[in-house]
């Protein structure tokens, strides 16, 4: 029976590197002999693991939990592959399923593990974490006065979750702040409203997508319909804000891209074997009726949001404004392991934009770079290091790039990227900067991918 799997693109998690060795032709051993030797070596290593396991069980100073020993060994094996592969026990798997449905309990923080402590990737909009002022790049060192050092990412996330209305105390280290920050949060039932929309400058439809869960496509459709009902024919165009969006479900990224395209390839995913390549294409029907489109990205835009930005940029359907994106160009498959055994989150493919580009450890470069004016108190935390800085990340097929600015002003009046988008849509500006020129693309008549490309068909949260 085939296992049901789900493809996800999530924010970054840290781990150790392991080199994948590719055998070369002209081996000294024949094919059969090589396979036999490899199998023998594998069994020898498994015997070594069994010997160590039994020695720990017999001689450790305290009687260990056998289940915990196995789980830790599995986590270590997966962490040695890349930063995004991990093991989820049964509860973590259930929590993940709830999260991707867009509703879960906790604080509302996207987090990763870095140097043994919890690092905030992004607080989720309108949650206890965002209301308490927790910021991207904050480090959480204590939970209820207990040190985070020594915990796995899943263990730390588990401690941050709990019954609704219960309290938890966090100690935060913030770069540029001399002393630790203690904050007490009240856990809430987190309903992630991943899409928000509003009228901008009286005649522009602004749409903010904060993550990609099962509710995102319907939320986008509703947002577009609401804006069209409010503005009617006077709508000048749309701004799609993907800044600090850590990613989510691959299928939702495809559907969101499809909403703005009539046809053409959206993304291709390529696994280890050529036959595993899959291509996803748009269907007829641009929900915005060909209106001009601006997409906002920054250093916190990762994985699924990069798929959307890359597809719309390659098809010249949108002008991208902001700073270079995070650069996570891999796909994770969720593989259930049977009742009560949890699941694997395993990196199974890289993804490529319609023009055939991989953004792994590079990111997407906007058509127009706009840097925000950052308050002095926050200047030390406005840059995100990006995928290339993660230990054990999959290597790029070209030059790797560091991260970029991820600050978004809380007041839209101070948002220089949004102001640039408004000016472009109103025709006030038509060029980028002195380095290059770009205009808002007209309504597309033929959304074909770049020549030679076929048009046939991935952080923990609490």
């Amino acid at each position: 029976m085939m296992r049901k799997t789900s493809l996800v693109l999530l924010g970054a998690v840290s781990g150790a590197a392991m080199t994948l060795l590719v055998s070369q032709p002209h081996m000294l051993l024949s094919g059969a002999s090589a396979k036999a030797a490899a199998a023998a070596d594998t069994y020898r290593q498994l015997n070594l693991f069994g010997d160590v396991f039994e020695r720990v069980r017999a001689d450790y100073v305290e009687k260990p939990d056998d289940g915990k020993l196995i789980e830790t060994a599995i986590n270590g094996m997966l962490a040695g592959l890349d930063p995004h592969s991990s093991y989820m026990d049964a509860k973590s798997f259930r929590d993940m399923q709830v999260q991707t449905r867009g509703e879960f309990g906790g604080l509302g923080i996207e987090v990763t593990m870095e140097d043994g402590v919890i690092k905030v990737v992004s607080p989720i909009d309108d949650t206890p974490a965002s209301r308490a002022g927790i910021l991207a790049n904050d480090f959480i060192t204590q939970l209820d006065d207990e040190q985070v050092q020594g915990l796995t990412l899943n263990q730390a996330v588990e401690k941050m979750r709990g019954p609704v209305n219960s309290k938890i105390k966090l100690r935060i280290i913030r770069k540029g702040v001399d002393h630790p920050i203690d904050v007490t949060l009240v856990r809430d039932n987190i309903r992630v409203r991943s899409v928000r929309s509003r009228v901008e400058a009286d005649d522009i439809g602004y749409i903010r997508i904060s993550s990609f869960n099962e509710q995102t496509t319907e939320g986008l459709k509703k947002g577009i319909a609401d804006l069209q009902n409010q503005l009617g024919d006077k709508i000048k165009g749309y701004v799609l804000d993907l800044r600090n969006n850590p990613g989510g479900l691959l299928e939702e990224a495809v559907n969101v891209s499809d909403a703005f395209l009539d046809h053409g390839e959206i993304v291709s995913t390529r696994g280890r074997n050529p036959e595993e390549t899959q291509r996803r294409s748009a269907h007829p029907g641009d929900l915005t009726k060909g209106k001009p489109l601006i997409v906002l990205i920054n250093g916190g835009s990762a994985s699924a949001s990069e798929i959307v930005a890359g597809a719309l940029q390659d098809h010249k359907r949108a002008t991208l404004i902001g700073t270079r994106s995070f650069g996570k160009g891999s796909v994770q498959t969720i593989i259930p392991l049977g009742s009560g055994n949890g699941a694997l989150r395993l990196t199974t493919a890289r993804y490529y934009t319609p023009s055939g580009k991989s953004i792994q450890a590079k990111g997407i470069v906007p058509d127009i770079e706009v840097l925000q004016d950052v308050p002095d108190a926050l200047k030390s935390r406005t840059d995100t290091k990006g995928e290339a800085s993660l230990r054990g990340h999959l290597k790029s097929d070209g030059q790797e790039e560091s991260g970029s600015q991820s600050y978004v002003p809380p007041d839209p009046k101070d948002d220089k990227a949004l102001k640039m988008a408004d000016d472009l849509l109103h025709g006030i500006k038509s060029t980028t900067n002195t380095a290059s020129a770009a205009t808002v693309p007209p309504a597309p008549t033929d959304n074909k991918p770049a020549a030679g490309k076929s048009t046939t068909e991935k952080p923990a949260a609490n």
Side-chain angles (χ1 to χ4, degrees), residues 404-434:
S404 70
Q405 189 185 77
S406 60
Y407 176 74
V408 179
D411 189 337
K413 296 195 300 295
D414 301 325
D415 191 339
K416 295 175 69 175
L418 182 58
K419 177 65 165 55
M420 173 67 77
D422 289 353
D423 287 348
L424 286 173
L425 290 173
H426 287 118
I428 297 173
K429 293 183 179 179
S430 61
T431 59
T432 62
N433 49 38
T434 56

Short mmCIF file of all heavy atoms in Angstrom, two decimals, residues 404-434:
data_model
loop_
_atom_site.label_atom_id
_atom_site.label_comp_id
_atom_site.label_asym_id
_atom_site.label_seq_id
_atom_site.Cartn_x
_atom_site.Cartn_y
_atom_site.Cartn_z
N SER A 404 19.79 39.14 3.36
CA SER A 404 19.55 40.54 3.07
C SER A 404 18.63 41.14 4.13
O SER A 404 18.16 40.44 5.05
CB SER A 404 18.93 40.70 1.68
OG SER A 404 17.60 40.20 1.67
N GLN A 405 18.32 42.40 3.98
CA GLN A 405 17.50 43.11 4.96
C GLN A 405 16.11 42.49 5.05
O GLN A 405 15.49 42.16 4.03
CB GLN A 405 17.38 44.58 4.55
CG GLN A 405 16.74 45.46 5.60
CD GLN A 405 16.53 46.89 5.11
OE1 GLN A 405 15.61 47.15 4.34
NE2 GLN A 405 17.38 47.80 5.54
N SER A 406 15.60 42.34 6.27
CA SER A 406 14.28 41.75 6.46
C SER A 406 13.35 42.65 7.26
O SER A 406 12.26 42.23 7.65
CB SER A 406 14.39 40.39 7.16
OG SER A 406 15.00 40.54 8.44
N TYR A 407 13.75 43.88 7.50
CA TYR A 407 12.94 44.79 8.31
C TYR A 407 11.77 45.34 7.49
O TYR A 407 11.93 45.76 6.35
CB TYR A 407 13.79 45.95 8.81
CG TYR A 407 13.03 47.00 9.59
CD1 TYR A 407 12.58 46.74 10.88
CD2 TYR A 407 12.75 48.24 9.02
CE1 TYR A 407 11.88 47.70 11.60
CE2 TYR A 407 12.05 49.21 9.73
CZ TYR A 407 11.62 48.94 11.01
OH TYR A 407 10.92 49.88 11.71
N VAL A 408 10.59 45.32 8.10
CA VAL A 408 9.40 45.94 7.52
C VAL A 408 8.86 46.95 8.52
O VAL A 408 8.50 46.58 9.65
CB VAL A 408 8.30 44.89 7.20
CG1 VAL A 408 7.06 45.58 6.63
CG2 VAL A 408 8.83 43.85 6.23
N PRO A 409 8.79 48.22 8.19
CA PRO A 409 8.29 49.22 9.14
C PRO A 409 6.87 48.90 9.58
O PRO A 409 6.02 48.52 8.76
CB PRO A 409 8.34 50.53 8.32
CG PRO A 409 9.35 50.28 7.26
CD PRO A 409 9.23 48.82 6.92
N PRO A 410 6.58 49.03 10.85
CA PRO A 410 5.23 48.74 11.33
C PRO A 410 4.18 49.71 10.80
O PRO A 410 3.01 49.34 10.67
CB PRO A 410 5.36 48.83 12.86
CG PRO A 410 6.59 49.65 13.10
CD PRO A 410 7.50 49.38 11.95
N ASP A 411 4.58 50.94 10.50
CA ASP A 411 3.65 51.94 9.95
C ASP A 411 3.80 51.97 8.44
O ASP A 411 4.88 52.27 7.92
CB ASP A 411 3.96 53.31 10.54
CG ASP A 411 2.89 54.34 10.20
OD1 ASP A 411 2.17 54.14 9.19
OD2 ASP A 411 2.78 55.35 10.93
N PRO A 412 2.73 51.67 7.68
CA PRO A 412 2.82 51.68 6.22
C PRO A 412 3.33 53.00 5.65
O PRO A 412 3.93 53.01 4.56
CB PRO A 412 1.38 51.40 5.78
CG PRO A 412 0.76 50.66 6.92
CD PRO A 412 1.39 51.25 8.15
N LYS A 413 3.13 54.10 6.35
CA LYS A 413 3.61 55.39 5.86
C LYS A 413 5.13 55.43 5.76
O LYS A 413 5.69 56.22 4.99
CB LYS A 413 3.11 56.53 6.77
CG LYS A 413 1.61 56.71 6.79
CD LYS A 413 1.22 58.04 7.41
CE LYS A 413 1.71 58.18 8.85
NZ LYS A 413 1.07 57.22 9.76
N ASP A 414 5.82 54.58 6.56
CA ASP A 414 7.28 54.55 6.55
C ASP A 414 7.84 53.45 5.64
O ASP A 414 9.06 53.28 5.57
CB ASP A 414 7.80 54.33 7.98
CG ASP A 414 7.35 55.43 8.93
OD1 ASP A 414 7.26 56.59 8.49
OD2 ASP A 414 7.09 55.11 10.11
N ASP A 415 6.97 52.72 4.98
CA ASP A 415 7.36 51.56 4.19
C ASP A 415 7.79 52.00 2.79
O ASP A 415 6.95 52.27 1.91
CB ASP A 415 6.19 50.58 4.11
CG ASP A 415 6.58 49.23 3.53
OD1 ASP A 415 7.60 49.14 2.84
OD2 ASP A 415 5.84 48.25 3.80
N LYS A 416 9.10 52.08 2.56
CA LYS A 416 9.61 52.58 1.29
C LYS A 416 9.30 51.64 0.13
O LYS A 416 9.08 52.10 -1.01
CB LYS A 416 11.11 52.82 1.40
CG LYS A 416 11.49 53.91 2.38
CD LYS A 416 13.00 54.04 2.55
CE LYS A 416 13.67 54.59 1.30
NZ LYS A 416 15.12 54.82 1.52
N ALA A 417 9.29 50.34 0.38
CA ALA A 417 8.97 49.39 -0.69
C ALA A 417 7.52 49.52 -1.11
O ALA A 417 7.20 49.51 -2.31
CB ALA A 417 9.27 47.96 -0.23
N LEU A 418 6.63 49.65 -0.14
CA LEU A 418 5.22 49.84 -0.46
C LEU A 418 4.99 51.16 -1.18
O LEU A 418 4.20 51.25 -2.13
CB LEU A 418 4.38 49.77 0.82
CG LEU A 418 2.87 49.91 0.65
CD1 LEU A 418 2.32 48.83 -0.28
CD2 LEU A 418 2.17 49.83 2.01
N LYS A 419 5.71 52.20 -0.76
CA LYS A 419 5.59 53.50 -1.44
C LYS A 419 6.06 53.39 -2.89
O LYS A 419 5.44 53.96 -3.81
CB LYS A 419 6.43 54.53 -0.68
CG LYS A 419 6.46 55.93 -1.31
CD LYS A 419 5.08 56.57 -1.27
CE LYS A 419 5.15 58.09 -1.55
NZ LYS A 419 5.80 58.44 -2.81
N MET A 420 7.15 52.67 -3.12
CA MET A 420 7.63 52.47 -4.49
C MET A 420 6.58 51.75 -5.32
O MET A 420 6.33 52.10 -6.48
CB MET A 420 8.93 51.68 -4.47
CG MET A 420 9.44 51.27 -5.85
SD MET A 420 9.95 52.64 -6.89
CE MET A 420 11.56 53.02 -6.15
N ALA A 421 5.94 50.72 -4.74
CA ALA A 421 4.89 49.99 -5.46
C ALA A 421 3.74 50.91 -5.81
O ALA A 421 3.23 50.88 -6.95
CB ALA A 421 4.40 48.82 -4.59
N ASP A 422 3.32 51.75 -4.86
CA ASP A 422 2.23 52.70 -5.13
C ASP A 422 2.60 53.64 -6.27
O ASP A 422 1.79 53.90 -7.17
CB ASP A 422 1.93 53.51 -3.87
CG ASP A 422 1.24 52.69 -2.78
OD1 ASP A 422 0.89 51.52 -3.06
OD2 ASP A 422 1.07 53.20 -1.67
N ASP A 423 3.82 54.14 -6.24
CA ASP A 423 4.25 55.09 -7.28
C ASP A 423 4.29 54.44 -8.65
O ASP A 423 3.90 55.04 -9.66
CB ASP A 423 5.63 55.66 -6.93
CG ASP A 423 5.59 56.64 -5.77
OD1 ASP A 423 4.47 57.06 -5.38
OD2 ASP A 423 6.66 56.99 -5.24
N LEU A 424 4.76 53.19 -8.71
CA LEU A 424 4.82 52.50 -9.99
C LEU A 424 3.42 52.24 -10.55
O LEU A 424 3.16 52.44 -11.74
CB LEU A 424 5.57 51.18 -9.85
CG LEU A 424 7.10 51.27 -9.71
CD1 LEU A 424 7.67 49.91 -9.40
CD2 LEU A 424 7.73 51.84 -10.96
N LEU A 425 2.52 51.81 -9.69
CA LEU A 425 1.16 51.52 -10.15
C LEU A 425 0.41 52.78 -10.57
O LEU A 425 -0.48 52.73 -11.41
CB LEU A 425 0.39 50.77 -9.05
CG LEU A 425 0.86 49.33 -8.80
CD1 LEU A 425 0.15 48.73 -7.58
CD2 LEU A 425 0.62 48.44 -10.01
N HIS A 426 0.79 53.92 -10.00
CA HIS A 426 0.16 55.18 -10.38
C HIS A 426 0.91 55.88 -11.50
O HIS A 426 0.51 56.99 -11.93
CB HIS A 426 0.07 56.12 -9.16
CG HIS A 426 -0.98 55.70 -8.18
ND1 HIS A 426 -0.69 55.34 -6.88
CD2 HIS A 426 -2.33 55.60 -8.31
CE1 HIS A 426 -1.81 55.03 -6.25
NE2 HIS A 426 -2.82 55.18 -7.09
N GLY A 427 2.00 55.29 -11.99
CA GLY A 427 2.74 55.89 -13.08
C GLY A 427 3.63 57.04 -12.67
O GLY A 427 4.17 57.75 -13.52
N ILE A 428 3.79 57.25 -11.35
CA ILE A 428 4.65 58.34 -10.88
C ILE A 428 6.11 58.02 -11.14
O ILE A 428 6.91 58.90 -11.46
CB ILE A 428 4.40 58.60 -9.38
CG1 ILE A 428 2.95 59.05 -9.17
CG2 ILE A 428 5.38 59.63 -8.84
CD1 ILE A 428 2.57 59.18 -7.71
N LYS A 429 6.46 56.75 -11.02
CA LYS A 429 7.81 56.29 -11.31
C LYS A 429 7.73 55.14 -12.31
O LYS A 429 6.79 54.34 -12.29
CB LYS A 429 8.53 55.82 -10.04
CG LYS A 429 8.82 56.94 -9.05
CD LYS A 429 9.60 56.40 -7.87
CE LYS A 429 9.92 57.53 -6.88
NZ LYS A 429 10.67 57.03 -5.70
N SER A 430 8.74 55.04 -13.17
CA SER A 430 8.79 53.95 -14.12
C SER A 430 10.15 53.30 -14.20
O SER A 430 10.35 52.36 -14.94
CB SER A 430 8.41 54.45 -15.52
OG SER A 430 9.33 55.44 -15.94
N THR A 431 11.11 53.79 -13.41
CA THR A 431 12.44 53.20 -13.41
C THR A 431 12.78 52.71 -12.02
O THR A 431 12.20 53.14 -11.02
CB THR A 431 13.50 54.22 -13.86
OG1 THR A 431 13.48 55.35 -12.99
CG2 THR A 431 13.22 54.67 -15.28
N THR A 432 13.76 51.82 -11.95
CA THR A 432 14.17 51.24 -10.66
C THR A 432 15.09 52.20 -9.94
O THR A 432 14.69 52.93 -9.05
CB THR A 432 14.89 49.91 -10.90
OG1 THR A 432 16.06 50.15 -11.65
CG2 THR A 432 14.01 48.95 -11.67
N ASN A 433 16.32 52.20 -10.30
CA ASN A 433 17.31 53.10 -9.72
C ASN A 433 18.36 53.34 -10.80
O ASN A 433 18.15 53.00 -11.96
CB ASN A 433 17.94 52.49 -8.45
CG ASN A 433 18.38 51.05 -8.68
OD1 ASN A 433 18.87 50.74 -9.75
ND2 ASN A 433 18.21 50.21 -7.67
N THR A 434 19.46 53.94 -10.47
CA THR A 434 20.46 54.26 -11.49
C THR A 434 21.11 53.02 -12.07
O THR A 434 21.73 53.09 -13.12
CB THR A 434 21.55 55.15 -10.88
OG1 THR A 434 22.11 54.48 -9.74
CG2 THR A 434 20.97 56.48 -10.45
#
